[in-house]
Amino acid sequence: MYINGQHLFEDRHFLDHIEHEVPIQIYCEREHSDIGFIEQFSADYVKVNNVFYNRDQFTFISRPGY
């Protein structure tokens, strides 16, 4: 189980969130960018709300219960 606010960075983190339908929040530096469910991911990006977010540019945070 992930705690609210936990940083996601490994493939298994993203896979767990897809499998268990746990939402994530996305930040660019300290600025909120988006919140939603992961649709797809790869080594380079995470797709949320039909938008591809670069894994090197954005920070991904677990938001269980949102």
Side-chain angles (χ1 to χ4, degrees):
M1 185 65 172
Y2 293 87
I3 60 170
N4 193 26
Q6 184 173 342
H7 286 241
L8 311 175
F9 50 88
E10 294 182 11
D11 285 350
R12 68 179 173 85
H13 296 160
F14 297 112
L15 185 58
D16 284 346
H17 279 68
I18 289 173
E19 289 178 353
H20 299 288
E21 298 180 342
V22 177
I24 66 167
Q25 192 164 8
I26 303 164
Y27 287 88
C28 183
E29 296 183 8
R30 295 180 182 257
E31 185 85 19
H32 167 81
S33 296
D34 205 351
I35 193 165
F37 296 94
I38 299 171
E39 298 165 21
Q40 296 177 339
F41 75 95
S42 74
D44 299 316
Y45 71 85
V46 176
K47 183 179 179 187
V48 174
N49 296 327
N50 212 31
V51 177
F52 293 88
Y53 293 96
N54 186 299
R55 285 175 65 169
D56 292 329
Q57 182 180 356
F58 292 88
T59 302
F60 304 93
I61 306 293
S62 183
R63 290 293 186 223
Y66 177 80

